[in-house]
Every structure is written in structure tokens, then in C-alpha cells.
């Protein structure tokens, strides 16, 4: 189990979210673009680096179902799920502190945070 | 790729950004880059503006296992590798697929710029030391050709690389400053 604590990069967070079901690299890129409404457009090199690191740490693993051997698929592991849970808790703390500080500022809507 | 005439253009660049810009300008004019050998760029005719190119310096030689894995991943992502040279890989992507950036996070960009900077600095300073040595050795010799030395060519190469080294160093500093605030 990874004992390091710290903020995940946006790319890593979104890649982990994408891999709650098996996906190949191109699928991850498309999915992240979709759920971020086009804001996060992962470069192939960035994606490769993130996947390599997460494989080393055991946050994701290769997924083989024999359907298409040409495109490697990946899926999140139990360790990766714990990492995501911890990250969501961290982000929740950030949001709550932010909202408390900003108070009732009408320009800050729920959807913009 | 169907058989078509290969055009060879002999050119030398001391600025990799300008080299990549030139390749993309050629692609916009309908000449598609297909390979490189020292001082020679190879092109075939194709649809103007159909492709965008990115030249990428890998961590290892292009024939290594790691680099081949990297290139295979790129191809899974719809990015074609049109050739390699030493540690360089020449990638292209269809322009209709949108913007083409290989690295989109600041940390990877900083690491990449450092890699390019170290490589080009090593080449430039090797030229400078070889050039100065040759010039000095020739200058102190007893021959009538004391001031003729190929070392001046090496020194000239160093001077030609210098603007790109300075520009890349400033780019690295800018990215590092950005990285202290944003991802």
C-alpha cells in the first residue's frame, strides 16, 4: 500500500477515474476529455509517463481479455481505488475551506468549484 | 505508403524549434517529411496541411526496448512515427484530429526541456573545446599554416548553437516558475 500522501496531478486523478473500467490509452484520453468537458486534453507523452508510473506503483494493472491484443488495456487496482478515495477526501477539504472563506459570494457557484 | 518520388533537401539547423516549424511549413505546402539522415531531409508529395509534425528526443536510443515501447504506445494513440535518428523520433498526426502536443503537463515539459538542453550543451561545448584545442595547437606549431585550423569551424558551430541554448534555458526557467504555481 502506498504510504505517500500528497496531491495527485489532475492528469493522474482523471486517468485513475477513467480506469474504474478497463480502457486502452486512446480511450482514456477520450474519456478524460469528455468528463472534463474538453478542458483536460492529455498529451500522449504525458499519458505514457503517468501510466508507467502508476503501473510501477501498483495503482493500475494491465487488463487482458484477449479481445484486441493490439491495444493494451489497463484497469484500476484496489490500491488505486484507495488512492482515489483519499484524493477525493483531500479535494473535499479544499472545497469546504474555500467555500467557508469565500462565504456567500454569489459569483462562486457550485458548478464552478 | 504508395511509391512516390522522394525529394531530398539538404539543410542544417542549430535550433530544433525552427527545424520543427520548417517541417510543418513544408507539410502545409504539400511536402510531407518521411525521414532524416545527416544534413538531409526526405519528403514525399501529399495533401497540403494534412499532417502536423512533432520531433521528440527520447531518453534512450530509438532502437532500445524502452523507446520501441514508447513509439508503439504513440501509434496506439493515433500518432504515426515516420522515422527515427539516434534518440530522435519523428511523429506526425492528422491535422483534422486537432492540436498535437506530446507533453501537456508542466513537470514532463520541464524534464524534456532539460533533456534537450543537456544534449545540445554537451554537443556545443564539445565543439568549443575541440575547436579551441585545435586552434591553439596549430597556433603554437612551427608550420607556416599556424592560423589555419579546422578548429575555427568547431568554434563557429558552438556560436551557432548558442542562441538556441540561451532560448531553451530561458524556456526552462519560465516553465519552472510556472510549475511553482500551476501543474
Amino acid at each position: 500500500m502506498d504510504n505517500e500522501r500528497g496531491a495527485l496531478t489532475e492528469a493522474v486523478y482523471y486517468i485513475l477515474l477513467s480506469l474504474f473500467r478497463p480502457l486502452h490509452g486512446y480511450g482514456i484520453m477520450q474519456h478524460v476529455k469528455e468528463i472534463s468537458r474538453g478542458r483536460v486534453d492529455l498529451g500522449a507523452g504525458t499519458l505514457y509517463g503517468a501510466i508507467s508510473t502508476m503501473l510501477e506503483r501498483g495503482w493500475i494493472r494491465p487488463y487482458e481479455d484477449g479481445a484486441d491484443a493490439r491495444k493494451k488495456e489497463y484497469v484500476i487496482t484496489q490500491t488505486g481505488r484507495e488512492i482515489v478515495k483519499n484524493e477525493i477526501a483531500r479535494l473535499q477539504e479544499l472545497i469546504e475551506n474555500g467555500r467557508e472563506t469565500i462565504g456567500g459570494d454569489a459569483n462562486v457557484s457550485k458548478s464552478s468549484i | 505508403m504508395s511509391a512516390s518520388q522522394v525529394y531530398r533537401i539538404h539543410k542544417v539547423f542549430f535550433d530544433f524549434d525552427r527545424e520543427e516549424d520548417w517541417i510543418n511549413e513544408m507539410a502545409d505546402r504539400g511536402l510531407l517529411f518521411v525521414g532524416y539522415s545527416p544534413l538531409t531531409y526526405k519528403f514525399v508529395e501529399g495533401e497540403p496541411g494534412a499532417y502536423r509534425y512533432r520531433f521528440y528526443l527520447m531518453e534512450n536510443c530509438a532502437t532500445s526496448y524502452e523507446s520501441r515501447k514508447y513509439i508503439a504506445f504513440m501509434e496506439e494513440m493515433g500518432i504515426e512515427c515516420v522515422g527515427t535518428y539516434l534518440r530522435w523520433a519523428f511523429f506526425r498526426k492528422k491535422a483534422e484530429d486537432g492540436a498535437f502536443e506530446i507533453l501537456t503537463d508542466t513537470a514532463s515539459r520541464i524534464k524534456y526541456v532539460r533533456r534537450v538542453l543537456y544534449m545540445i550543451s554537451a554537443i556545443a561545448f564539445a565543439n568549443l573545446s575541440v575547436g579551441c584545442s585545435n586552434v591553439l595547437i596549430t597556433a603554437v606549431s612551427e608550420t607556416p599554416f599556424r592560423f589555419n585550423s579546422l578548429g575555427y569551424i568547431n568554434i563557429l558551430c558552438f556560436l551557432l548553437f548558442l542562441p538556441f541554448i540561451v532560448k531553451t534555458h530561458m524556456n526552462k526557467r519560465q516553465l519552472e516558475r510556472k510549475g511553482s504555481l500551476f501543474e
Side-chain angles (χ1 to χ4, degrees):
Chain A
M1 170 72 170
D2 196 305
N3 289 320
E4 286 181 19
R5 290 289 178 264
L8 295 183
T9 65
E10 197 173 55
V12 164
Y13 176 67
Y14 270 140
I15 292 167
L16 283 171
L17 285 189
S18 303
L19 292 178
F20 270 73
R21 56 187 171 93
L23 262 187
H24 48 63
Y26 189 78
I28 295 170
M29 189 187 72
Q30 295 292 94
H31 184 250
V32 169
K33 204 168 169 180
E34 190 190 311
I35 62 176
S36 68
R37 283 169 250 169
R39 188 178 60 80
V40 182
D41 192 0
L42 296 173
T46 292
L47 187 53
Y48 181 87
I51 287 175
S52 299
T53 305
M54 288 190 283
L55 281 169
E56 274 172 34
R57 290 176 173 228
W59 294 2
I60 64 173
R61 62 174 175 83
Y63 178 84
E64 281 164 48
D65 70 348
D68 185 355
R70 287 168 300 163
K71 284 190 174 181
K72 282 197 188 118
E73 289 191 327
Y74 306 92
V75 72
I76 197 167
T77 61
Q78 190 53 42
T79 305
R81 287 167 192 266
E82 290 297 320
I83 296 289
V84 169
K85 256 175 55 182
N86 292 337
E87 180 65 9
I88 290 173
R90 188 191 72 85
L91 291 168
Q92 198 62 42
E93 176 208 304
L94 287 168
I95 290 170
E96 280 164 11
N97 283 324
R99 281 196 174 140
E100 251 183 62
T101 306
I102 289 171
D105 189 327
N107 289 330
V108 179
S109 65
K110 212 173 179 182
S111 61
S112 68
I113 294 183
Chain B
M1 199 191 300
S2 58
S4 52
Q5 187 177 356
V6 177
Y7 298 91
R8 287 177 168 75
I9 298 178
H10 301 286
K11 214 165 163 78
V12 64
F13 285 93
F14 293 91
D15 183 326
F16 297 142
D17 297 333
R18 286 178 62 185
E19 180 190 40
E20 196 180 85
D21 288 343
W22 178 71
I23 293 293
N24 280 304
E25 281 165 25
M26 297 296 275
D28 289 342
R29 282 154 50 182
L31 277 177
L32 305 181
F33 173 76
V34 292
Y36 175 83
S37 53
L39 305 180
T40 306
Y41 296 82
K42 298 169 197 166
F43 298 87
V44 295
E45 284 179 350
E47 188 192 331
Y51 290 97
R52 305 307 302 159
Y53 288 81
R54 288 285 180 209
F55 286 6
Y56 188 78
L57 181 70
M58 295 184 287
E59 289 186 52
N60 305 293
C61 181
T63 52
S64 68
Y65 171 70
E66 280 301 329
S67 295
R68 282 186 282 121
K69 243 176 64 174
Y70 189 86
I71 292 169
F73 184 83
M74 291 289 141
E75 291 185 341
E76 281 179 33
M77 301 291 291
I79 295 168
E80 190 186 344
C81 179
V82 298
T84 60
Y85 178 71
L86 301 176
R87 286 162 62 197
W88 288 99
F90 311 121
F91 293 117
R92 74 177 186 186
K93 191 173 158 183
K94 292 205 170 105
E96 65 193 16
D97 292 343
F100 182 16
E101 293 291 345
I102 293 178
L103 299 170
T104 47
D105 67 299
T106 307
S108 297
R109 279 179 166 162
I110 290 170
K111 201 173 153 188
Y112 181 75
V113 168
R114 276 193 193 137
R115 191 187 311 149
V116 172
L117 188 58
Y118 291 158
M119 188 206 71
I120 204 65
S121 301
I123 292 173
F125 284 96
N127 267 288
L128 181 67
S129 63
V130 163
C132 289
S133 303
N134 275 335
V135 165
L136 280 169
I137 287 169
T138 314
V140 301
S141 72
E142 299 286 323
T143 72
F145 307 107
R146 285 158 63 197
F147 299 107
N148 292 353
S149 170
L150 288 176
Y152 290 111
I153 296 175
N154 292 112
I155 293 172
L156 178 64
C157 284
F158 167 76
L159 292 172
L160 289 169
F161 276 126
L162 209 47
F164 178 64
I165 289 172
V166 170
K167 183 178 78 166
T168 306
H169 176 72
M170 304 213 1
N171 186 19
K172 179 178 78 81
R173 290 272 305 270
Q174 206 173 14
L175 281 169
E176 284 166 347
R177 273 199 289 267
K178 183 189 172 199
S180 68
L181 292 173
F182 304 102
E183 264 182 41

